[in-house]
Amino acid sequence: MTLAPDSRYPIGRFDAPDSSQDVDRWIDAIAAAPGELRRAVDGLGDAQLDTPYRDGGWTIRQVAHHIPDSHMNAYIRFKLALTEESPVIRPYMEDRWAELEEAKNAPVEMSLRLLEALHIRWVAALRALDAADLERTVQHPELGTVPLFRIIAMYAWHGRHHIAHITGARERMKWI
């Protein structure tokens, strides 16, 4: 399978914002992500789910499990930022998580349900944030000091990014 050179970033790379002016739009994107993921994998059989979305990439199944893994970590980081003063957050080895047996073989339905429940709770927390909350920060070992508004933007992008991996693969493979 030969793919376009930008298949790793089908919607482009994340562009970190300098302000929270688009926060409502980002929260709307986070709220929409579970339904968009469900639609992206709808009707795919095991053989399709076990197909890499690009040469050298994860399988569609791994991507579907990765999104809630990543967003659970983000949700916990938010809670830490709201209850502690600029906490140091711990990254995780997402590539290793994607190689775990359940990420490679478990039904995607369990991750779809997990993402739906997680996003209901996360969006409720996000919609309750005020301007001061949006400026609260975390200390990321690789990114430095990161305000919450930027993390909201990043995870709005993250969901769209991975869903585009799946929908792009479906288009290329003519699974639509």
Side-chain angles (χ1 to χ4, degrees), residues 102-170:
E102 52 88 15
K104 290 169 61 174
N105 295 303
V108 296
E109 181 61 30
M110 67 184 197
S111 281
L112 294 172
R113 289 181 183 187
L114 175 59
L115 192 68
E116 287 165 352
L118 173 64
H119 278 224
I120 289 168
R121 181 117 183 240
W122 193 14
V123 168
L126 292 173
R127 294 208 191 280
L129 299 176
D130 61 25
D133 292 331
L134 293 170
E135 297 296 330
R136 292 183 69 90
T137 61
V138 296
Q139 299 300 316
H140 192 287
E142 297 161 1
L143 303 175
T145 302
V146 184
L148 285 185
F149 74 80
R150 192 168 295 144
I151 296 173
I152 297 168
M154 183 184 326
Y155 281 91
W157 171 87
H158 184 263
R160 290 190 326 269
H161 165 74
H162 284 302
I163 292 164
H165 284 150
I166 296 168
T167 58
R170 286 187 76 134

Side-chain angles (χ1 to χ4, degrees), residues 85-108:
E85 207 53 49
S86 200
V88 175
I89 57 171
R90 185 179 183 282
Y92 71 103
M93 297 181 174
E94 63 184 39
D95 56 329
R96 292 184 186 177
W97 285 38
E99 292 302 320
L100 293 172
E101 190 65 24
E102 52 88 15
K104 290 169 61 174
N105 295 303
V108 296

Side-chain angles (χ1 to χ4, degrees), residues 18-83:
D18 293 325
S19 79
S20 63
Q21 73 181 32
D22 292 324
V23 71
D24 290 333
R25 184 172 54 85
W26 301 327
I27 294 170
D28 289 345
I30 290 170
E36 290 172 0
L37 178 60
R38 183 172 287 283
R39 284 186 294 282
V41 300
D42 186 50
L44 296 180
D46 285 336
Q48 293 164 320
L49 290 168
D50 293 333
T51 300
Y53 73 89
R54 67 171 176 85
D55 290 333
W58 289 338
T59 66
I60 292 171
R61 183 184 310 272
Q62 286 170 300
V63 172
H65 290 309
H66 163 73
I67 296 170
D69 285 348
S70 177
H71 291 203
M72 281 189 298
N73 275 283
Y75 176 71
I76 297 300
R77 291 169 178 171
F78 266 87
K79 295 288 233 182
L80 292 170
L82 292 172
T83 59

